[in-house]
Amino acid sequence: MKIKYKWLIPGMGVKRWIALIVLGLLFFTIGILILDFHSSTTPEAVLVQFVNSYVSNPWLAATLFFSLGISICAVGFRKMVHSIIEVVSPDEVDDLAEVVYRKRSLERGPRIVVIGGGTGLSMLLRGLKSYSSNITAIVTVADDGGSSGRIREELGILPPGDIRNTLVALADTEPLLEKLFQYRFSWGEGLEGHSFGNLFIAAMTDITGDFETAIKQFSKVLAVGGVVLPSTLTTVNLKARYTDGSEIIGEHNIPQFGKKIDFISLIPSGVEPLPEALEAIAAAELIVLGPGSLYTSVIPNLLVNNICEALVQSSALKVYVCNVMTQPGETDQMSASQHIAAIFKHTRGQKIFDYALINNQRLTASQARKYSSQNAYAIKADTNRVKEIGVTPIAVPLLERGELVRHDSELLAKALMKLLMEHRSGLNKL
């Protein structure tokens, strides 16, 4: 049976409301006829004359039929929509108007591109998705440790971990489904340590034969409000050169206690980005780099061909979000300005952002003690030095409440949106 006729099958819960809408239209039509037909032998005129024989004022009768017809149509249409939504998405029936308003509002939100990887990127997206569904996340694919590394080595596909975290962060889905895709097996030979979401992406890649297509299908499953793109579809490794001249290959090997990173490069070099990534950068109103591991999450994306050039040419507001804590073995003792200087060193001096969002909220005594025992310290907000580099610092409180020291996703998103609004109004034009 063709789809258009299936609405007429008994039990669909729709026909009664369609009939009510038709009745409403009939009353509305009668109201029009009362005013348009006064002397005629047509069936419509006979009906009007019958009505007029009982009502002395045709204008009053027309108004009554108009009102009754519109009211009946409205009730019928509302009931029909609710009947459909109740099956498709039961939890949203009572808040239908709010759901429609929110989704339409997000569709009109600013075009945002975020570049990075790791938990920092996921945290940022959880805040930004409340302001727009026009978000494109460009994610690093150099991870070679843990579940992602094992899948990469054994199955020969790109590491799915950062992609998975980003998709889940942008998802508009049930909490249970989110927990499922973030679930990590703690038992089972061959399964222990693997994330269910990573295995799902791996299976989808095998089914579709394409990693990019697998991501798109995963996005549909999670109702992702945005687009997630790997920075490249080429399998790459990270190589670090330290200030003592030594080198090491492998993202998970790079953090080395007592060593300072001088430069990061990709193996192979000169890999190409996805065309969609360059298109998103060109169309963006706001581009955000970070937060995230400086050398293993943020900078690797900038080493892909043409990414830096696209950022330089973009007319968007470009902001770097500095981490709140140093990372042992990676950014020991580095201040905010030193993070920025390291980025510009890898972009061959090209200025790819104009603003730096830096936390200036102090840690509590217990937080400082806890993290210092792990050789992690609050990053110094040396705003004067940041200005000397040619970047405008925006120092504001950005910490989440609690014992863990990390950005508050809502505070960070609000700060970025405020900066964008000022940029649009010309208040912070450089």
Side-chain angles (χ1 to χ4, degrees):
M1 182 178 290
K2 294 183 179 179
I3 292 177
K4 62 182 179 180
Y5 298 124
K6 287 185 179 179
W7 294 109
L8 303 179
I9 297 175
M12 292 290 284
V14 173
K15 295 189 300 298
R16 70 197 71 174
W17 308 124
I18 293 177
L20 191 62
I21 293 172
V22 172
L23 180 62
L25 290 173
L26 176 61
F27 278 102
F28 187 82
T29 302
I30 292 173
I32 295 176
L33 294 175
I34 289 174
L35 297 179
D36 287 348
F37 295 96
H38 300 289
S39 59
S40 177
T41 58
T42 63
E44 294 88 349
V46 173
L47 176 62
V48 171
Q49 291 168 8
F50 175 77
V51 172
N52 285 342
S53 65
Y54 289 95
V55 180
S56 58
N57 187 337
W59 284 98
L60 177 60
T63 301
L64 290 174
F65 276 101
F66 279 147
S67 301
L68 187 59
I70 291 173
S71 298
I72 292 175
C73 282
V75 171
F77 183 76
R78 185 173 185 275
K79 291 290 187 180
M80 183 178 69
V81 171
H82 270 243
S83 181
I84 296 172
I85 295 295
E86 192 173 32
V87 176
V88 176
S89 186
D91 294 336
E92 296 184 350
V93 172
D94 295 333
D95 299 319
L96 183 58
E98 174 62 25
V99 169
V100 172
Y101 172 78
R102 177 166 53 86
K103 291 190 175 181
R104 288 288 180 262
S105 178
L106 292 178
E107 288 173 0
R108 295 190 296 269
R111 297 181 300 277
I112 303 172
V113 170
V114 295
I115 301 174
T119 57
L121 182 64
S122 301
M123 175 280 308
L124 171 64
L125 292 172
R126 291 182 189 279
L128 287 178
K129 71 179 182 181
S130 298
Y131 294 89
S132 178
S133 60
N134 300 311
I135 299 175
T136 299
I138 301 174
V139 185
T140 182
V141 287
D143 189 6
D144 60 358
S147 172
S148 290
R150 289 165 58 191
I151 288 175
R152 167 178 165 161
E153 181 179 351
E154 295 171 12
L155 303 181
I157 66 172
L158 292 176
D162 282 351
I163 298 285
R164 181 201 77 242
N165 285 329
T166 305
L167 287 167
V168 171
L170 280 174
D172 182 16
T173 190
E174 295 294 329
L176 183 59
L177 195 58
E178 178 179 338
K179 289 180 180 179
L180 172 64
F181 283 107
Q182 292 289 51
Y183 176 78
R184 194 171 295 275
F185 290 93
S186 58
W187 47 270
E189 185 177 354
L191 282 177
E192 187 176 358
H194 273 303
S195 160
F196 175 80
N198 287 356
L199 296 177
F200 185 93
I201 294 176
M204 190 68 75
T205 301
D206 188 47
I207 291 170
T208 63
D210 181 75
F211 187 77
E212 189 178 0
T213 303
I215 294 173
K216 292 178 181 178
Q217 295 302 320
F218 194 17
S219 298
K220 292 180 181 179
V221 172
L222 289 179
V224 172
V227 177
V228 178
L229 301 172
S231 55
T232 180
L233 290 177
T234 303
T235 300
V236 295
N237 283 298
L238 282 183
K239 181 173 77 171
R241 185 182 71 221
Y242 301 97
T243 53
D244 63 4
S246 61
E247 296 181 342
I248 198 165
I249 296 176
E251 186 258 6
H252 74 287
N253 294 320
I254 288 176
Q256 295 282 328
F257 180 74
K259 287 196 172 187
K260 184 174 178 58
I261 298 171
D262 179 47
F263 203 79
I264 292 285
S265 58
L266 293 181
I267 301 176
S269 60
V271 297
E272 295 300 321
L274 271 70
E276 296 91 334
L278 299 181
E279 292 168 4
I281 291 173
E285 298 174 72
L286 171 64
I287 298 174
V288 185
L289 282 81
S293 300
L294 178 64
Y295 289 107
T296 54
S297 291
V298 177
I299 290 178
N301 296 290
L302 306 176
L303 304 179
V304 176
N305 273 358
N306 300 319
I307 292 290
C308 285
E309 289 74 9
L311 291 172
V312 171
Q313 294 170 10
S314 172
S315 61
L317 170 67
K318 290 165 280 192
V319 185
Y320 169 62
V321 179
C322 189
N323 293 343
V324 294
M325 301 292 291
T326 61
Q327 289 185 258
E330 187 165 340
T331 56
D332 295 306
Q333 301 179 343
M334 289 179 66
S335 65
S337 68
Q338 289 173 319
H339 278 68
I340 296 169
I343 293 174
F344 287 171
K345 182 177 181 178
H346 287 79
T347 62
R348 299 180 298 280
Q350 296 179 96
K351 190 179 176 184
I352 60 171
F353 53 83
D354 300 307
Y355 295 88
L357 200 54
I358 306 168
N359 171 65
N360 65 358
Q361 186 174 337
R362 294 176 62 89
L363 272 60
T364 65
S366 62
Q367 287 175 331
R369 284 194 302 270
K370 176 182 178 180
Y371 279 83
S372 63
S373 66
Q374 304 168 16
N375 294 312
Y377 301 89
I379 290 176
K380 181 181 178 182
D382 52 344
T383 54
N384 288 333
R385 179 58 186 143
V386 171
K387 291 177 184 176
E388 291 174 7
I389 297 175
V391 174
T392 301
I394 309 293
V396 290
L398 293 171
L399 294 186
E400 186 181 73
R401 292 182 179 179
E403 281 303 303
L404 292 178
V405 181
R406 57 189 178 189
H407 285 98
D408 183 293
S409 59
E410 292 185 11
L411 290 178
L412 182 54
K414 284 181 181 178
L416 288 168
M417 289 299 103
K418 180 175 182 291
L419 201 57
L420 179 60
M421 294 304 105
E422 292 174 352
H423 180 75
R424 283 175 169 177
S425 62
L427 295 178
N428 57 10
K429 289 287 178 69
L430 296 175

